[in-house]
Amino acid sequence: GSVNLYINDPHDPLVLAYQKIFPGLLKPLSEMPEDLKAHVRYPQDLFNIQSHVFATYHMQDPQIFYNKEDLWNIPKKNDKDMEPYYTIMRLPKTGVEKDRKEEFILLVPFTPAKRDNMAAWLAARSDAPNYGKLIVYLFPKQKLVYGPRQVDARIDQDSAISQQITLWSQRGSQVIRGSLLAIPIEDALLYVQPLYLSASEGALPELRRVIVAYGNQLNMAPNLEAALEGIFGRAATATIKETAVTMVPVVPPGTLTAPLLPGPSVLAKEALDHFNKAQAALREQDWGRYGEELKKMRSVLEELAKP
């Protein structure tokens, strides 16, 4: 076989140095076969370093930077910084890109220093022609946007949820809390967390409940359809408009304006179907199918969010 090395940024100083040392070794990214380009993803270790640096150096005003008035942190999970994660999503509207579509990105959220509410999230794009581009979305400081730890705490403090978990535990079952998914839908954040129940060691966990958090609302139901209907069925349009959050993209400029509105139950059922298929793929470690089902679920949720 053969090994080919491709250049994404021809102006990178290290790349220029290697080109002089090894002429002809590095090829432009445009020469990479299209089927191979579809599998290129932004490196997680590089993004991890960049996000930690950006948490401080996003401040552009010298006085604010000197006083560290707007310092950010990466949210912690089990006393460790949350790792950036890959996901398939459609970036929120910016007013610049008209034809938006789902794309493979690497994502990490930020919270203000010594606080747990959401301040921003940073995304690295992996799909052509935007491979390697970073974009950050800011949440308005005048509104409280719950961060991952706050949503986790709200779930722990909810009496109905804690009573159900305690009841299961008393019966000898093990309650497993799945990954907390933060799903940006247009200009709002929807948190989804599945609850699994394992009757004994070695047994396959069974999906028993789905928790959905949106704004100040929290609901647990036997499935995603019921959880979504519990949130949006109770909320009036005016209430949802008040709790919807506008995110401001720093690069490129623009504003997000579309509010999240309740949709018909048929869409909720379709979202539930894709969610269940994604969970099945996750148990089978079929990451390709898992990503596709999440992508489809997101598309349905966006339809649900349309006015």
Side-chain angles (χ1 to χ4, degrees), residues 129-140:
N130 298 309
Y131 175 80
K133 293 182 180 179
L134 301 179
I135 185 168
V136 61
Y137 288 84
L138 305 179
F139 292 93

Side-chain angles (χ1 to χ4, degrees), residues 16-306:
L16 294 175
Y18 276 116
Q19 281 183 315
K20 291 181 179 179
I21 299 173
F22 307 104
L25 177 65
L26 305 177
K27 302 179 181 180
L29 190 62
S30 58
E31 295 184 11
M32 180 182 289
E34 291 299 323
D35 58 340
L36 188 58
K37 281 184 182 179
H39 296 277
V40 174
R41 62 181 185 178
Y42 199 87
Q44 191 170 5
D45 52 354
L46 173 61
F47 185 72
N48 196 33
I49 295 172
Q50 290 174 321
S51 58
H52 279 84
V53 173
F54 188 69
T56 299
Y57 286 88
H58 71 276
M59 294 178 281
Q60 299 181 8
D61 185 283
Q63 190 65 36
I64 294 177
F65 176 81
Y66 178 78
N67 295 323
K68 290 184 169 54
E69 297 176 15
D70 194 22
L71 189 66
W72 292 347
N73 285 333
I74 294 176
K76 292 187 178 296
K77 185 74 172 178
N78 299 326
D79 296 326
K80 294 182 179 179
D81 286 346
M82 181 182 293
E83 292 290 335
Y85 56 93
Y86 293 101
T87 186
I88 298 175
M89 63 172 287
R90 183 182 300 170
L91 291 175
K93 294 179 181 178
T94 63
V96 177
E97 298 181 47
K98 296 181 179 180
D99 298 326
R100 297 177 303 127
K101 60 180 182 179
E102 288 81 5
E103 55 183 294
F104 190 65
I105 66 169
L106 185 57
L107 183 70
V108 68
F110 291 104
T111 60
K114 300 180 181 180
R115 296 174 61 188
D116 292 327
N117 60 288
M118 191 78 82
W121 53 269
L122 179 69
R125 309 174 77 171
S126 295
D127 293 348
N130 298 309
Y131 175 80
K133 293 182 180 179
L134 301 179
I135 185 168
V136 61
Y137 288 84
L138 305 179
F139 292 93
K141 295 181 180 180
Q142 66 272 20
K143 288 189 177 182
L144 174 63
V145 183
Y146 291 115
R149 290 189 66 177
Q150 289 177 315
V151 173
D152 264 336
R154 290 179 59 213
I155 292 174
D156 291 336
Q157 295 167 5
D158 187 272
S159 58
I161 296 176
S162 60
Q163 287 175 8
Q164 183 63 70
I165 292 177
T166 301
L167 181 61
W168 281 329
S169 300
Q170 289 175 347
R171 294 176 179 175
S173 299
Q174 180 185 6
V175 180
I176 303 172
R177 290 173 62 167
S179 300
L180 181 65
L181 303 177
I183 306 174
I185 302 177
E186 294 299 342
D187 61 352
L189 275 180
L190 182 72
Y191 286 94
V192 179
Q193 184 176 53
L195 287 183
Y196 300 94
L197 202 62
S198 179
S200 60
E201 291 188 11
L204 287 176
E206 179 185 355
L207 178 65
R208 296 302 299 270
R209 293 290 188 274
V210 176
I211 301 171
V212 172
Y214 173 77
N216 291 320
Q217 301 177 81
L218 186 68
N219 188 46
M220 182 178 71
N223 52 55
L224 181 61
E225 174 195 355
L228 289 172
E229 289 184 350
I231 291 289
F232 299 117
R234 293 195 305 265
T237 301
T239 303
I240 294 178
K241 287 183 178 179
E242 290 175 0
T243 57
V245 175
T246 298
M247 294 181 292
V248 182
V250 175
V251 182
T255 55
L256 310 177
T257 57
L260 188 65
L261 299 175
S265 60
V266 63
L267 290 176
K269 291 179 180 178
E270 188 176 347
L272 170 64
D273 180 59
H274 291 306
F275 177 79
N276 290 335
K277 290 179 179 178
Q279 295 303 310
L282 182 62
R283 289 193 295 270
E284 298 170 6
Q285 296 187 350
D286 187 343
W287 307 116
R289 185 159 59 92
Y290 175 72
E292 284 299 318
E293 292 301 332
L294 284 184
K295 175 181 176 181
K296 292 176 182 178
M297 184 183 78
R298 176 180 173 78
S299 298
V300 175
L301 289 175
E302 287 181 342
E303 287 296 321
L304 189 67
K306 288 182 179 179

